[in-house]
Amino acid sequence: MQLKHTDIKLPFQSVFLIAPFFLWGTAMVAMKGVLPHTTPFFVAGWRLVPAGLLILLFTTFQGRPQPKTWKAWFWISIFAVVDGALFQGFLAEGLERTGAGLGSVMIDSQPLAVAILSLWLFQDKIGFWGWLGLVIGVGGISLIGLPDELILSGFNLETAGMAWGLDHLFQSGEWLMLLASLSMAVGTVLVRWVCRHCDPVVATGWHMIIGGLPLFALSGGLESEQWIHLATSDWLALAYSTVFGSAIAYALFFYFASSGSLTSLSSLTFLTPVFALLFGNLFLGEVLSPLQSLGVGLTLVSIYLVNQRDTLAEKLKFNRSEVQSNSPNEQQLNSSEDKPVEIPVEVRLREPEPKL
């Protein structure tokens, strides 16, 4: 993968380009470290509302227009419920039951769902590489989300000694993360309608605030002792997740997306779970089972294939045309067309007859 530095107008281009994915990955680790001392809905709301306020403050300084029509507020509200409340709610609840690294892998599998939704809603082509990535992704997510005992027993519940049902599904952190990923995928598709009526950065700020308020309401009604056991380090971790993991990461992401670096950004999506896995192991001591490690590898490969399906198809098409142009028959044909052909012609001069 080659990054086009001409698309970016900041110093240390590669560092800034990778920054959003680094911040998102490390924010997962920070949230996971705080959850034992607080509650999921409180963390989810705290990550959204202050970050939304910061983004709106930033857009005010930039002079970006605020939403004015009822259609704009309608689509922002739908976007807030799906990509704000549901996404962050499932994420926080799932993160409480699984590791930061595995959770990040499940979250960043959302390009697989986006590809299917785009095919269904917008007739976007998936192509060979996209379908291959989807198949590999299903296998990878299954290895991550399903218990090792169930897989090793050949999916025999009695042999694995398990009782599988809907209750177990919602108690599994990996599957809650998958629901979060699906919510994020639907939110990504909804952005097409949001952007028709409102500035996308402004909509991002408002959807964080509107989506975060119900999470605070759920926390107040269903949870208790949200901040009593929080130490100074926990508040710093929450601040990092909010300021760096949400506000700054989204600001950088939209900056690069608007400056023509969208292709490079999409190819770097797989870095988020890599950073989460690395720092989750370093700071939280998270260790994956062999099957989970294999699932992580397959999922990362699938994310890359789906994100880069158009680029890979173009490269394959170019290589085929190059091979055909370099084939012996083609070269002989080209050389015969380029070089003039000499045809020997015998000309006999007739001597003039003598005059009588």
Side-chain angles (χ1 to χ4, degrees):
M1 178 186 63
Q2 294 180 348
L3 301 180
K4 296 181 179 180
H5 300 294
T6 56
D7 293 337
I8 307 165
K9 306 301 182 183
L10 291 175
F12 307 105
Q13 295 97 324
S14 298
V15 175
F16 280 101
L17 190 63
I18 295 172
F21 309 98
F22 172 83
L23 295 174
W24 282 327
T26 51
M28 292 282 288
V29 179
M31 291 174 62
K32 177 64 178 178
V34 171
L35 279 171
H37 308 141
T38 183
T39 54
F41 288 135
F42 176 77
V43 172
W46 186 266
R47 187 179 181 185
L48 283 179
V49 176
L53 292 172
L54 289 174
I55 291 178
L56 289 182
L57 183 63
F58 172 74
T59 58
T60 301
F61 281 118
Q62 281 196 322
R64 292 177 180 264
Q66 296 294 318
K68 298 177 181 179
T69 64
W70 70 267
K71 288 184 178 180
W73 286 112
F74 171 79
W75 285 110
I76 290 174
S77 300
I78 298 297
F79 186 41
V81 171
V82 176
D83 191 70
L86 291 178
F87 169 54
Q88 290 293 337
F90 283 132
L91 187 152
E93 287 286 347
L95 193 58
E96 190 179 35
R97 298 169 174 82
T98 188
L102 280 182
S104 183
V105 174
M106 300 295 286
I107 291 295
D108 281 274
S109 65
Q110 58 91 17
L112 313 182
V114 170
I116 296 176
L117 289 173
S118 298
L119 173 66
W120 177 43
L121 295 173
F122 310 115
Q123 288 74 50
D124 290 349
K125 294 182 179 179
I126 294 181
F128 169 76
W129 294 108
W131 284 113
L132 178 62
L134 290 174
V135 172
I136 295 175
V138 170
I141 292 172
S142 299
L143 291 176
I144 294 172
L146 295 175
D148 290 359
E149 298 82 3
L150 184 63
I151 298 173
L152 294 175
S153 65
F155 298 94
N156 189 321
L157 293 176
E158 295 181 358
T159 305
M162 299 177 58
W164 192 262
L166 192 61
D167 293 339
H168 183 87
L169 180 66
F170 282 96
Q171 290 299 321
S172 171
E174 289 82 5
W175 288 98
L176 285 170
M177 285 297 189
L178 184 59
L179 291 175
S181 176
L182 293 175
S183 301
M184 185 179 181
V186 175
T188 302
V189 174
L190 286 173
V191 168
R192 291 200 180 188
W193 284 280
V194 175
C195 293
R196 294 176 184 175
H197 307 283
C198 181
D199 180 89
V201 182
V202 174
T204 300
W206 278 114
H207 107 282
M208 286 182 169
I209 296 174
I210 297 173
L213 293 177
L215 294 172
F216 275 139
L218 288 172
S219 177
L222 302 177
E223 299 173 341
S224 61
E225 300 183 357
Q226 293 92 329
W227 55 81
I228 294 178
H229 305 291
L230 291 175
T232 303
S233 58
D234 296 323
W235 284 110
L236 291 175
L238 285 174
Y240 177 84
S241 299
T242 300
V243 177
F244 291 92
S246 292
I248 294 179
Y250 276 107
L252 286 173
F253 182 85
F254 279 115
Y255 172 82
F256 290 126
S258 63
S259 65
S261 304
L262 193 57
T263 301
S264 298
L265 283 177
S266 63
S267 66
L268 292 173
T269 303
F270 70 95
L271 287 178
T272 300
V274 170
F275 286 126
L277 287 165
L278 175 62
F279 286 92
N281 179 266
L282 290 176
F283 291 101
L284 304 177
E286 296 179 353
V287 180
L288 305 181
S289 70
L291 285 177
Q292 288 176 328
S293 299
L294 178 60
V296 167
L298 292 176
T299 304
L300 295 180
V301 170
S302 71
I303 293 170
Y304 179 81
L305 289 176
V306 171
N307 274 326
Q308 294 297 294
R309 60 186 184 274
D310 295 332
T311 303
L312 292 171
E314 287 295 328
K315 287 182 178 179
L316 182 61
K317 183 178 179 181
F318 175 78
N319 291 336
R320 283 179 177 176
S321 61
E322 192 176 37
V323 169
Q324 290 177 357
S325 64
N326 292 331
S327 62
N329 294 335
E330 188 75 17
Q331 289 180 352
Q332 185 176 0
L333 180 61
N334 292 336
S335 62
S336 65
E337 293 176 352
D338 296 338
K339 295 181 180 180
V341 179
E342 298 181 0
I343 302 176
V345 178
E346 183 180 356
V347 179
R348 293 182 179 181
L349 295 178
R350 184 177 179 182
E351 295 181 359
E353 296 181 356
K355 295 181 179 181
L356 298 177

